Amino acid sequence: MSADPSPRLAGELPSHSAASEERSVTSRLSRGPGTSAVEVRRSARRSRTVSAYREGDRTIVLIPARMSEAEERRWVTVMLDKLAAQESKRVLGDGELTERAERLSAQYFNGGARPTSVRWVTNQNTRWGSCTPAEGSIRLSHRLQGMPEYVVDYVLVHELAHLLVPGHGPRFWRLLDAYPRTERARGYLEGVVAADRLPHLPLARGESPHGESPHVE
């Protein structure tokens, strides 16, 4: 990982022969509403590594020229997730979390969901988030700290939607459809849950390799 002040990450690819022609190809990828532009730069000089960094409101991903379009899409996703996770390691305070929730409410619910408090809690190991609509309070599990921002935002949007619709009926899911990265965030959290269910060796006597896994309510 580079010491460059801008977040920068690198990954290594399986060994292949480098292309003989030296050239650089730049393309732009659309990431959807509310996300920054991604610029992919291909270079024949780069044969085994992929790297990514922020440049203003853009994300630059550097890849080998030989990489296929499918590999490009996969590595762009991998590097964006890694950058997001790196940037999320700075834990937001409860005040900042409340401000973030208010911005998300304004963006996706026209400000209709109005939380009175949003805070981190350490006693929610079987759910990612919870809320009390009557009080307007939202609680997020500390286990979300360090996850990509879009995942934290998804849980916030989920709980904000509950301030408008308490249950998980069709109207609730229609509200949640407003957040464009819902499926991706759900997939990320499902992956975390699946990883938690894998056996971790060595286990203490009487300890089960499986346990309750967090979910969003």
Side-chain angles (χ1 to χ4, degrees), residues 108-109 157 161 164-165 170-179:
Y108 297 111
F109 304 131
V157 170
L164 302 173
V165 180
R171 182 173 171 236
F172 171 83
W173 293 110
R174 284 196 298 271
L175 283 175
L176 208 58
D177 282 343
Y179 183 61

Side-chain angles (χ1 to χ4, degrees), residues 13 16-25 41-51 62-67:
L13 299 170
H16 288 278
S17 59
S20 58
E21 181 185 9
E22 291 188 1
R23 62 192 180 90
S24 178
V25 180
R41 297 177 182 173
R42 291 174 173 262
S43 175
R45 296 181 179 181
R46 180 177 293 269
S47 62
R48 295 191 61 190
T49 61
V50 176
S51 62
L62 307 175
I63 64 174
R66 63 174 173 76
M67 187 175 285

